[in-house]
Amino acid sequence: MKLIVAVVQDQDSNRLMKAMVEHNFRVTKLASTGGFLKSGNTTFLIGTEEYRVNKALQVIKDNCQSRDQLITPVSPMGGNADSYIPYPVEIEVGGATVFVLPVDEFHQF
Ligand code: 2BA
């Protein structure tokens, strides 16, 4: 058995949840916060048999899209903070960040 941990953007979370359930995956959805943007994202826990991991990854890929986001750095990277004028910087937030972990034991009581 494997545990898939997938961090996705909030905008994609309902569609992904629906698609995972339609494909008979068991899913737990957690509200999470990205360390860099400090804004909300969604983390999915998906426990599945090893042979279904690729299918799960495909469903995640099909339902999550990367997006550009503008952020304004709150302080300069170096130099004089007095003359600092904050300009927005565009970053690309990925569609999904996915970890696939081995599961030693699985119990349901
Ligand atoms: P955040 O940490 O809020 O990061 C959002 C986006 O900001 C990242 O998108 C990346 O484009 C950028 N970013 C993050 N750290 C950066 C840095 N030190 N310098 C420059 N840009 C940076 P993604 O890489 O697609 O990540 C989306 C979210 O997935 C992250 O939200 C975080 O919640 C999670 N994540 C990504 N990599 C992770 C990892 N190795 N471990 C745990 N969570 C991870």
Side-chain angles (χ1 to χ4, degrees):
M1 188 173 201
K2 296 283 186 183
L3 177 66
I4 300 171
V5 179
V7 184
V8 311
Q9 295 180 46
D10 285 345
Q11 296 98 309
D12 296 323
S13 65
N14 285 342
R15 189 179 50 219
L16 177 59
M17 173 79 117
K18 194 164 169 269
M20 294 307 289
V21 171
E22 274 168 8
H23 285 87
N24 275 319
F25 287 103
R26 296 196 176 191
V27 177
T28 298
K29 192 175 113 173
L30 307 172
S32 46
T33 304
F36 188 70
L37 294 180
K38 297 179 180 59
S39 62
N41 52 27
T42 303
T43 299
F44 284 84
L45 302 181
I46 305 152
T48 189
E49 292 81 12
E50 198 161 346
Y51 77 91
R52 299 200 71 210
V53 167
N54 284 342
K55 181 66 192 173
L57 295 178
Q58 191 60 52
V59 175
I60 294 168
K61 207 171 162 187
D62 290 346
N63 286 279
C64 299
Q65 64 182 88
S66 58
R67 295 180 180 87
D68 291 333
Q69 197 164 321
L70 284 176
I71 59 161
T72 307
V74 288
S75 60
M77 302 300 282
N80 189 349
D82 295 339
S83 58
Y84 173 64
I85 302 170
Y87 286 107
V89 179
E90 194 168 76
I91 57 160
E92 184 183 273
V93 183
T97 299
V98 183
F99 307 85
V100 181
L101 313 171
V103 174
D104 286 344
E105 293 187 33
F106 171 67
H107 302 286
Q108 285 184 305
F109 300 110

